Amino acid sequence: MSEPVIESMAEVRGHLADVLDRARREETPTIITRRGKQEAVVIDIEEYQRLRRIAEDAEESWLNRLADEAESEGLEGSVPLEEMAAMLRTDRD
């Protein structure tokens, strides 16, 4: 993946198709700014899906480690893994 290009919202509006092509063909993300503040990133959909899988795998691994630790300590009243995951997702939203 190439270094990102930084452009303002106004610049991107004028050539959004080029920004999308750059993300897909050149694997170059575009960071979009508004009033000088970074607001969003345009990346290729395959890269987005890859990053989502990595995040989901990391979360699952972390939850499994927590469950294993709780089980090995024999904690009473522990929460099932599915319930713990649901609670964590709710807290993030």
Side-chain angles (χ1 to χ4, degrees):
M1 181 178 289
S2 303
E3 286 296 313
V5 173
I6 300 174
E7 294 185 320
S8 70
M9 179 96 67
E11 292 169 322
V12 170
R13 275 192 200 115
H15 67 106
L16 182 57
D18 294 333
V19 170
L20 295 175
D21 288 342
R22 183 170 53 215
R24 189 180 73 245
R25 291 186 188 135
E26 300 172 25
E27 298 181 352
T28 301
T30 299
I31 297 173
I32 301 172
T33 63
R34 183 170 29 188
R35 297 185 185 104
K37 180 181 175 196
Q38 295 182 351
E39 294 282 335
V41 178
V42 177
I43 60 174
D44 177 62
I45 189 67
E46 290 178 7
E47 179 66 6
Y48 169 76
Q49 291 167 340
R50 185 184 75 80
L51 293 171
R52 283 288 306 255
R53 281 191 303 273
I54 290 170
E56 288 169 0
D57 290 349
E59 180 182 41
E60 184 175 339
S61 176
W62 177 71
L63 290 172
N64 285 333
R65 272 196 318 275
L66 285 177
D68 290 345
E69 289 172 13
E71 186 177 324
S72 69
E73 292 175 8
L75 297 176
E76 289 186 27
S78 62
V79 178
L81 179 59
E82 294 81 11
E83 187 177 333
M84 185 185 314
M87 290 182 335
L88 288 170
R89 286 188 192 101
T90 301
D91 288 345
R92 278 192 312 188
D93 296 337

